[in-house]
Amino acid sequence: MVEIELDGKKVEVAEGSMVMHAADKAGTYIPHFCYHKKLSIAANCRMCLVDIEKAPKPMPACATPVTQGMIVRTKSDKAIKAQQSVMEFLLINHPLDCPICDQGGECQLQDLAVGYGGSASRYDDEKRVVFHKDVGPLISMEEMSRCIHCTRCVRFGQEMAGVMELGMSHRGEHSEIETFVGQSVDSELSGNMIDICPVGALTSKPFRYSARTWELSRRKSVSPHDSTGANLIVQVKSGRVMRVVPLENEEVNECWIADRDRFSYEALNGPERLTQPMLKQGGQWQTVDWQTALEYVANGLKQIKTDHGAGSIGTLVSPHSTLEELILAGQLTRGLGSDNIDHRLRRAQFDAAGEGVRWLGTSIASLSTMQRVLVVGSNLRKDHPLFAQRIRQAIRKGGVLSAITSNKLFADREAWAMTVANATVTDSAQWVAALGRVASAVAQAKGVAAPISGVEADDAARAMADSLLGGERKAVLLGNAAAHHAQADALLALANWIGAQTGATVGYLTEAANTVGAQCVGAQPQKDGLNAGQMLAGGLKAVLLLNTEPVFDSAAGAQAAQALSQAQMVVTLSPFKSNLEFSDVLLPIAPFSETPGSFVNAEGRVQSFHAVVKPMGEARPGWKVLRVLGNLLGLSGFEYESTADVLQAAGVTGNVPAERMSNATLAQPAIAQGALPEPVVASIYQLDGIVRRAPSLQLTADARRALEQAAAEQEVLA
């Protein structure tokens, strides 16, 4: 540790730290623009100049290493005058268009100009003009004349997103931040550039000119998309969600969010919102009141149970639903006497009941410090952008990443925007054999018997084994495609064997916001009920669909519509007009922004949130709809007054206990004979109904690429 004196106070910081770090530790604010705690140091704005004793001139606090006994003054005349001079230079070419700037009210330059800027400018000549650029549907670069060349956006792309999409061209007053050769900004984390831009150069294209920052109410929430459980601040005006930005939580999402967390809010106010209950009568949809719709559903379920038995009723739930909705959906289904409930809609192989809750196997924060990682069956960057960002940081610190994947998920090493040291790219049907070769290499190195006989290690497998046998902090992570694989149990068994031999943790990246939560509260068959694959094969007489569209959300795909059309009654509970082809009843439930609820992320962290706006139209929180339906059916245990009552009754009092989470399996690894179906994995902007209906996200390069790929696959099938 090094001790320095900062504004008369003694401060101890680690050797190699900068003066800025010491100031942060002491709680002393030093004005700055280019410095950001998560990015490398650029020292190109010079706003953080401070007075250091014995230094001939002011020094940048962000780029000056501390030395023993250093004396720093941040408020001396010398420091203040230096900072005021830098501010004057920054404002020479700035357009000073605060009244029309979208960043007005939350602009770092505007705030600091109040304290360090002059009351008048000495500059009389023309200001420079930088022409706007079109870089895609998410980020607006309409006013690049405001750019102060802090390069935060450039460094974010290089270091956090892993893709240098922006850079600085030309020199001197002709310098510009731009993409090159007319490219767009396509990173799945690109929206964070808007947050870290200290001026109004980069702004949100969907939000642009829709509200002033001081008009917005700010409310905490949690992302309903992937399993990170990113913490959000949802900004509201006149009962509408206007913008979503990150809420800093170092243990979960740090200070970043993915673009689908940020821009999916557009769907919440979109034209496809379902705002009134609807019944299909004579093939035509009619709007009805809640009483009529719920009585129709309750009477229909009673009649079908009487005529065909409870086993003819099934419930398919989305793992993006809240914990409370999943609890009540299970309670309702089992109250009717059926065990037919499942959230694993994209699975090809289903775990035996009671094998434990599949989870990440480690904390999310620990991914940033992993020394060795083996990822199996994942398009890591697109499936889990924030997990990928953490692993990218681990690699920057010397970590080694290996991958077993397919061409469809990998394409090339650059597709992951990080260094993949060892990769086996093969058809998904060969993943068990590929992982078996890694296990054989580990067995050979340790002098033990391999879990699969007759499988010889190749060079790639030996490289992966050597990697996992080194280092201290290491993990074997199974992706969405591995979880949905026809031999998912064999992959898990091999991963567990490798983990036991190498000391690596083993876990699933887990697909959705509540994949772990759905397992915890039993939103899958517990005894002899039908799983999702069996239910979507047809044969049910009554089906409840909670927040899901089986045609898009299940492995059955288009065949799901045919199977569900055979049922006597299909009830869809959704925020959107969906499943119109085969549903008989549509019940409008509130999305995450309009209902209180809880999600359990990949590490088992329970995160509860409140509604940020009132439900649109006649929509109601899903847990309330299920509660009333339970009452109309005469089922016991549906007397809840709040979501807290639902959680308490289900025994959810905190994070998921460690003893409940387990990735153990009784399966024995074996290589299957014959053809296997391709695992069904949702593309980044097709993951759930909200994302699918966000116009700006559907205009991105990733969304267009997914549609083209789907169209090509349909042609092959045809």
mmCIF file of all heavy atoms in Angstrom, residues 77-95:
data_model
loop_
_atom_site.group_PDB
_atom_site.id
_atom_site.type_symbol
_atom_site.label_atom_id
_atom_site.label_comp_id
_atom_site.label_asym_id
_atom_site.label_seq_id
_atom_site.Cartn_x
_atom_site.Cartn_y
_atom_site.Cartn_z
ATOM 1 N N ASP A 77 -5.719 27.003 -6.107
ATOM 2 C CA ASP A 77 -5.906 27.926 -7.235
ATOM 3 C C ASP A 77 -5.302 27.370 -8.509
ATOM 4 O O ASP A 77 -5.866 27.505 -9.600
ATOM 5 C CB ASP A 77 -5.265 29.286 -6.907
ATOM 6 C CG ASP A 77 -6.102 30.097 -5.928
ATOM 7 O OD1 ASP A 77 -7.289 29.736 -5.748
ATOM 8 O OD2 ASP A 77 -5.579 31.078 -5.371
ATOM 9 N N LYS A 78 -4.134 26.748 -8.375
ATOM 10 C CA LYS A 78 -3.456 26.184 -9.538
ATOM 11 C C LYS A 78 -4.304 25.118 -10.208
ATOM 12 O O LYS A 78 -4.446 25.091 -11.438
ATOM 13 C CB LYS A 78 -2.120 25.588 -9.084
ATOM 14 C CG LYS A 78 -1.233 25.080 -10.217
ATOM 15 C CD LYS A 78 0.094 24.589 -9.627
ATOM 16 C CE LYS A 78 1.010 24.024 -10.711
ATOM 17 N NZ LYS A 78 2.293 23.529 -10.147
ATOM 18 N N ALA A 79 -4.917 24.229 -9.405
ATOM 19 C CA ALA A 79 -5.761 23.159 -9.957
ATOM 20 C C ALA A 79 -7.033 23.727 -10.574
ATOM 21 O O ALA A 79 -7.415 23.355 -11.696
ATOM 22 C CB ALA A 79 -6.109 22.143 -8.866
ATOM 23 N N ILE A 80 -7.675 24.628 -9.856
ATOM 24 C CA ILE A 80 -8.942 25.192 -10.346
ATOM 25 C C ILE A 80 -8.735 25.960 -11.639
ATOM 26 O O ILE A 80 -9.507 25.825 -12.603
ATOM 27 C CB ILE A 80 -9.587 26.106 -9.272
ATOM 28 C CG1 ILE A 80 -9.947 25.307 -8.016
ATOM 29 C CG2 ILE A 80 -10.813 26.818 -9.840
ATOM 30 C CD1 ILE A 80 -11.008 24.262 -8.208
ATOM 31 N N LYS A 81 -7.687 26.766 -11.715
ATOM 32 C CA LYS A 81 -7.435 27.526 -12.939
ATOM 33 C C LYS A 81 -7.125 26.614 -14.115
ATOM 34 O O LYS A 81 -7.536 26.872 -15.251
ATOM 35 C CB LYS A 81 -6.273 28.502 -12.699
ATOM 36 C CG LYS A 81 -6.671 29.717 -11.868
ATOM 37 C CD LYS A 81 -5.495 30.640 -11.620
ATOM 38 C CE LYS A 81 -5.932 31.844 -10.784
ATOM 39 N NZ LYS A 81 -4.783 32.734 -10.455
ATOM 40 N N ALA A 82 -6.406 25.530 -13.846
ATOM 41 C CA ALA A 82 -6.111 24.569 -14.909
ATOM 42 C C ALA A 82 -7.397 23.923 -15.419
ATOM 43 O O ALA A 82 -7.597 23.772 -16.636
ATOM 44 C CB ALA A 82 -5.150 23.503 -14.392
ATOM 45 N N GLN A 83 -8.270 23.559 -14.497
ATOM 46 C CA GLN A 83 -9.538 22.936 -14.894
ATOM 47 C C GLN A 83 -10.423 23.925 -15.652
ATOM 48 O O GLN A 83 -11.080 23.567 -16.629
ATOM 49 C CB GLN A 83 -10.253 22.394 -13.644
ATOM 50 C CG GLN A 83 -9.519 21.222 -13.012
ATOM 51 C CD GLN A 83 -9.929 20.954 -11.568
ATOM 52 O OE1 GLN A 83 -10.766 21.673 -11.012
ATOM 53 N NE2 GLN A 83 -9.329 19.946 -10.957
ATOM 54 N N GLN A 84 -10.410 25.180 -15.221
ATOM 55 C CA GLN A 84 -11.208 26.194 -15.923
ATOM 56 C C GLN A 84 -10.674 26.428 -17.339
ATOM 57 O O GLN A 84 -11.442 26.629 -18.279
ATOM 58 C CB GLN A 84 -11.203 27.493 -15.128
ATOM 59 C CG GLN A 84 -12.028 27.436 -13.851
ATOM 60 C CD GLN A 84 -11.879 28.673 -12.989
ATOM 61 O OE1 GLN A 84 -10.886 29.410 -13.114
ATOM 62 N NE2 GLN A 84 -12.852 28.909 -12.109
ATOM 63 N N SER A 85 -9.368 26.383 -17.500
ATOM 64 C CA SER A 85 -8.775 26.545 -18.828
ATOM 65 C C SER A 85 -9.157 25.404 -19.758
ATOM 66 O O SER A 85 -9.472 25.612 -20.934
ATOM 67 C CB SER A 85 -7.247 26.629 -18.712
ATOM 68 O OG SER A 85 -6.856 27.763 -17.979
ATOM 69 N N VAL A 86 -9.141 24.172 -19.212
ATOM 70 C CA VAL A 86 -9.540 23.015 -20.017
ATOM 71 C C VAL A 86 -11.003 23.149 -20.429
ATOM 72 O O VAL A 86 -11.364 22.886 -21.582
ATOM 73 C CB VAL A 86 -9.307 21.698 -19.239
ATOM 74 C CG1 VAL A 86 -9.943 20.519 -19.967
ATOM 75 C CG2 VAL A 86 -7.825 21.454 -19.033
ATOM 76 N N MET A 87 -11.845 23.578 -19.509
ATOM 77 C CA MET A 87 -13.263 23.745 -19.835
ATOM 78 C C MET A 87 -13.446 24.784 -20.947
ATOM 79 O O MET A 87 -14.252 24.610 -21.860
ATOM 80 C CB MET A 87 -14.040 24.154 -18.582
ATOM 81 C CG MET A 87 -15.518 24.428 -18.820
ATOM 82 S SD MET A 87 -16.418 23.000 -19.493
ATOM 83 C CE MET A 87 -16.447 21.915 -18.070
ATOM 84 N N GLU A 88 -12.676 25.862 -20.893
ATOM 85 C CA GLU A 88 -12.783 26.886 -21.937
ATOM 86 C C GLU A 88 -12.421 26.299 -23.300
ATOM 87 O O GLU A 88 -13.096 26.545 -24.296
ATOM 88 C CB GLU A 88 -11.873 28.076 -21.619
ATOM 89 C CG GLU A 88 -12.003 29.196 -22.652
ATOM 90 C CD GLU A 88 -11.186 30.433 -22.291
ATOM 91 O OE1 GLU A 88 -10.243 30.312 -21.482
ATOM 92 O OE2 GLU A 88 -11.494 31.504 -22.832
ATOM 93 N N PHE A 89 -11.372 25.494 -23.341
ATOM 94 C CA PHE A 89 -10.980 24.876 -24.604
ATOM 95 C C PHE A 89 -12.051 23.895 -25.103
ATOM 96 O O PHE A 89 -12.343 23.827 -26.297
ATOM 97 C CB PHE A 89 -9.643 24.149 -24.446
ATOM 98 C CG PHE A 89 -8.449 25.035 -24.565
ATOM 99 C CD1 PHE A 89 -7.588 25.229 -23.492
ATOM 100 C CD2 PHE A 89 -8.179 25.703 -25.746
ATOM 101 C CE1 PHE A 89 -6.489 26.057 -23.597
ATOM 102 C CE2 PHE A 89 -7.074 26.540 -25.864
ATOM 103 C CZ PHE A 89 -6.222 26.716 -24.783
ATOM 104 N N LEU A 90 -12.650 23.143 -24.181
ATOM 105 C CA LEU A 90 -13.686 22.183 -24.578
ATOM 106 C C LEU A 90 -14.897 22.894 -25.179
ATOM 107 O O LEU A 90 -15.547 22.379 -26.089
ATOM 108 C CB LEU A 90 -14.133 21.349 -23.367
ATOM 109 C CG LEU A 90 -13.176 20.242 -22.903
ATOM 110 C CD1 LEU A 90 -13.686 19.623 -21.608
ATOM 111 C CD2 LEU A 90 -13.021 19.169 -23.970
ATOM 112 N N LEU A 91 -15.198 24.073 -24.646
ATOM 113 C CA LEU A 91 -16.405 24.780 -25.105
ATOM 114 C C LEU A 91 -16.160 25.628 -26.352
ATOM 115 O O LEU A 91 -17.118 26.134 -26.942
ATOM 116 C CB LEU A 91 -16.945 25.664 -23.975
ATOM 117 C CG LEU A 91 -17.470 24.924 -22.732
ATOM 118 C CD1 LEU A 91 -17.974 25.925 -21.700
ATOM 119 C CD2 LEU A 91 -18.575 23.946 -23.102
ATOM 120 N N ILE A 92 -14.904 25.785 -26.773
ATOM 121 C CA ILE A 92 -14.607 26.600 -27.947
ATOM 122 C C ILE A 92 -15.389 26.104 -29.167
ATOM 123 O O ILE A 92 -16.000 26.886 -29.900
ATOM 124 C CB ILE A 92 -13.087 26.605 -28.245
ATOM 125 C CG1 ILE A 92 -12.399 27.656 -27.378
ATOM 126 C CG2 ILE A 92 -12.800 26.897 -29.700
ATOM 127 C CD1 ILE A 92 -10.887 27.673 -27.531
ATOM 128 N N ASN A 93 -15.381 24.792 -29.379
ATOM 129 C CA ASN A 93 -16.053 24.241 -30.556
ATOM 130 C C ASN A 93 -17.380 23.583 -30.241
ATOM 131 O O ASN A 93 -18.026 23.043 -31.131
ATOM 132 C CB ASN A 93 -15.140 23.239 -31.271
ATOM 133 C CG ASN A 93 -14.361 23.870 -32.408
ATOM 134 O OD1 ASN A 93 -14.924 24.636 -33.188
ATOM 135 N ND2 ASN A 93 -13.077 23.566 -32.485
ATOM 136 N N HIS A 94 -17.766 23.589 -28.974
ATOM 137 C CA HIS A 94 -19.031 22.949 -28.629
ATOM 138 C C HIS A 94 -20.194 23.814 -29.132
ATOM 139 O O HIS A 94 -20.150 25.040 -29.020
ATOM 140 C CB HIS A 94 -19.145 22.750 -27.120
ATOM 141 C CG HIS A 94 -20.152 21.713 -26.745
ATOM 142 N ND1 HIS A 94 -19.883 20.370 -26.829
ATOM 143 C CD2 HIS A 94 -21.427 21.810 -26.312
ATOM 144 C CE1 HIS A 94 -20.949 19.682 -26.456
ATOM 145 N NE2 HIS A 94 -21.907 20.532 -26.138
ATOM 146 N N PRO A 95 -21.258 23.207 -29.689
ATOM 147 C CA PRO A 95 -22.343 24.018 -30.269
ATOM 148 C C PRO A 95 -23.183 24.799 -29.260
ATOM 149 O O PRO A 95 -23.952 25.675 -29.655
ATOM 150 C CB PRO A 95 -23.196 22.987 -31.016
ATOM 151 C CG PRO A 95 -22.860 21.682 -30.378
ATOM 152 C CD PRO A 95 -21.436 21.767 -29.946
#
